[in-house]
């Protein structure tokens, strides 16, 4: 498996069930792993841009994931519109791979405020 730091996934708060035990399979807003073929992930430096572009005004939970525990392939794939390569997980997220799941507050500017939620530099 590829040696990478923790990866992150933004989950809609209304869809996140902290008591669930089955693997997490939501890929992105309105699409599952089955629909998309992979689960969208981000590095810490990419999270704010993803939140701004796709989750503005929505209540989200940030999932911090240990890629060594996912058991499926993580590939970095170029997203031309973003000018960056994003990690994609080609399988479900086992619950034991989720290091933390934290609701993300909004800052005074109305954007998601990840201060203190991302241990890696953004």
């Amino acid at each position: 498996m590829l040696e990478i730091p923790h990866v992150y996934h933004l989950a809609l708060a209304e869809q996140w069930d902290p008591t669930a035990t089955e693997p997490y399979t939501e890929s992105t807003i309105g699409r599952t792993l089955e629909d998309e073929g992979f689960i969208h992930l981000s590095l810490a430096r990419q999270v704010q841009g993803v939140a701004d572009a796709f989750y503005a005004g929505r209540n989200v939970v940030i999932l911090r994931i240990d890629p060594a525990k996912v058991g499926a392939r993580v590939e970095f794939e170029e997203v031309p519109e973003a000018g960056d390569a994003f990690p994609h997980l080609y399988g479900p997220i086992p619950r034991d791979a989720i290091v933390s799941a934290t609701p993300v507050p909004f800052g005074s500017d109305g954007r998601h405020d990840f201060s203190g939620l991302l241990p890696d530099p953004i």
Side-chain angles (χ1 to χ4, degrees):
M1 171 145 287
L2 190 61
E3 290 284 332
I4 57 175
H6 287 116
V7 290
Y8 301 89
H9 176 80
L10 291 174
L12 292 174
E14 67 265 16
Q15 293 179 335
W16 174 248
D17 179 359
T19 64
T21 57
E22 70 277 355
Y24 183 81
T25 59
E26 293 297 317
S27 177
T28 188
I29 298 171
R31 295 187 57 83
T32 65
L33 169 61
E34 185 177 326
D35 298 330
E36 194 78 359
F38 60 86
I39 293 177
H40 289 269
L41 303 174
S42 301
L43 296 174
R45 66 178 170 77
Q46 298 168 323
V47 170
Q48 186 71 60
V50 170
D52 292 347
F54 302 103
Y55 294 87
R58 302 184 87 150
N59 290 320
V60 297
V61 174
I62 187 164
L63 307 182
R64 182 176 172 199
I65 302 159
D66 181 348
K69 294 183 177 180
V70 296
R73 170 173 108 250
V74 175
E75 287 189 25
F76 282 80
E77 296 174 319
E78 194 68 33
V79 177
E81 309 83 60
D84 203 355
F86 284 78
H88 294 155
L89 173 61
Y90 285 85
I93 303 171
R95 293 292 168 148
D96 69 343
I98 300 171
V99 176
S100 63
T102 309
V104 181
F106 290 100
S108 60
D109 60 0
R111 295 172 68 208
H112 292 98
D113 182 2
F114 294 97
S115 300
L117 299 181
L118 298 170
D120 308 313
I122 294 178

